[in-house]
């Protein structure tokens, strides 16, 4: 809401600012005259300023693409999606044991970059960080990658030389691991 006093029958509004992109109409009224309605006009987004997660990563299983897809918006300084932007957004690890694989470079369509094939093989806690020509960005919220199904056995502590009649020291330890070498803590087979 803005107000101005009419001078010689004319009210001038020099500083009307609308920060949200969209289609608008203005109404002029003073409480006693018949109101006037403007024609529809559009406010477009300003220049690209920041990358924002529209859909951040969620917990996933090692070797399986993060689902649902991770979506990053190219926004102006006011939080409007810059629908004219078709730049390339690159997804990198913000934190975690890594590495990140899959399709990590996506061209934005209408200011939106959708990453449908991001893969992590090492179990742990991660965050992602999008990049695009120096635009402001922040890491995603943390998410977890859990081991895949048990697939193999591995010596965590192999046997060492010892004398006959003595227990092998330190104790021999066998890990149950998934196909990527992650320890499957939920597995309890008889070995």
């Amino acid at each position: 809401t803005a107000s101005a006093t009419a001078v010689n029958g004319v009210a001038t509004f020099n500083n009307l600012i609308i920060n949200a992109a969209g289609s608008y109409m203005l109404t002029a009224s003073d409480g006693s005259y018949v109101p006037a309605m403007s024609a529809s006009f559009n406010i477009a987004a300003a220049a690209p300023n920041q990358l924002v997660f529209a859909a951040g990563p969620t917990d996933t299983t090692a070797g399986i693409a993060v689902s649902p897809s991770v979506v990053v918006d190219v926004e102006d300084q006011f939080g409007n999606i810059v629908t004219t932007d078709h730049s390339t957004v690159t997804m990198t690890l913000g934190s975690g044991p890594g590495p990140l694989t899959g399709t990590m470079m996506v061209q934005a369509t209408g200011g939106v970059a959708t990453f449908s094939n991001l893969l992590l093989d090492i179990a742990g806690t991660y965050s992602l960080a999008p990049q695009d020509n120096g635009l402001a960005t922040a890491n995603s919220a943390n998410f977890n990658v859990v081991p895949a199904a048990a697939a193999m056995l591995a010596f965590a502590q192999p046997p060492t030389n010892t004398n006959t009649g003595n227990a092998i020291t330190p104790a021999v330890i066998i890990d149950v691991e998934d196909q990527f070498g992650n320890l499957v803590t939920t597995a309890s087979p008889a070995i």
Side-chain angles (χ1 to χ4, degrees), residues 16-51:
L16 294 179
I17 298 173
I18 299 174
N19 291 332
S23 182
Y24 292 91
M25 294 172 55
L26 297 180
T27 302
S29 64
D30 77 342
S32 58
Y33 297 117
V34 175
M37 180 79 66
S38 75
S40 178
F41 63 98
N42 295 314
I43 300 292
N49 177 268
Q50 61 190 351
L51 298 175

Side-chain angles (χ1 to χ4, degrees), residues 3 5 28 43 47 70 72 76 79 101 111 118 124 130 137-138 149-150 153 156 158 161 164 189:
S3 62
T5 301
I43 300 292
V70 175
V72 174
D76 67 11
T101 60
L118 295 175
T137 187
L153 302 176
N161 295 331
T164 57

Side-chain angles (χ1 to χ4, degrees), residues 142-184:
N142 286 344
F143 66 102
N144 296 308
V145 174
V146 298
M152 61 186 179
L153 302 176
F155 280 95
Q157 175 62 56
T160 58
N161 295 331
T162 191
N163 294 325
T164 57
N166 293 326
I168 297 174
T169 305
V172 174
I173 300 173
I174 306 293
D175 285 348
V176 179
E177 298 178 348
D178 68 9
Q179 68 189 39
F180 306 108
N182 297 304
L183 179 65
V184 181

Side-chain angles (χ1 to χ4, degrees), residues 51-144:
L51 298 175
V52 176
F53 282 96
T58 57
D59 292 349
T60 190
T61 300
I64 297 176
V66 176
S67 180
S69 298
V70 175
V71 180
V72 174
D73 291 342
V74 179
E75 296 182 351
D76 67 11
Q77 65 184 354
F78 305 106
N80 299 297
I81 296 173
V82 182
T83 58
T84 56
D85 182 83
H86 300 287
S87 61
T88 299
V89 179
T90 302
M91 191 63 69
T92 63
L93 278 182
S95 63
L100 178 66
T101 60
T103 306
M104 297 179 299
M105 294 178 69
V106 173
Q107 184 173 7
T109 301
V112 178
T114 302
F115 295 85
S116 57
N117 186 30
L118 295 175
L119 299 164
L120 295 152
D121 294 340
I122 299 174
T125 300
Y126 291 85
S127 68
L128 298 179
Q131 298 177 356
D132 182 0
N133 295 322
L135 297 179
T137 187
N139 287 359
S140 71
N142 286 344
F143 66 102
N144 296 308

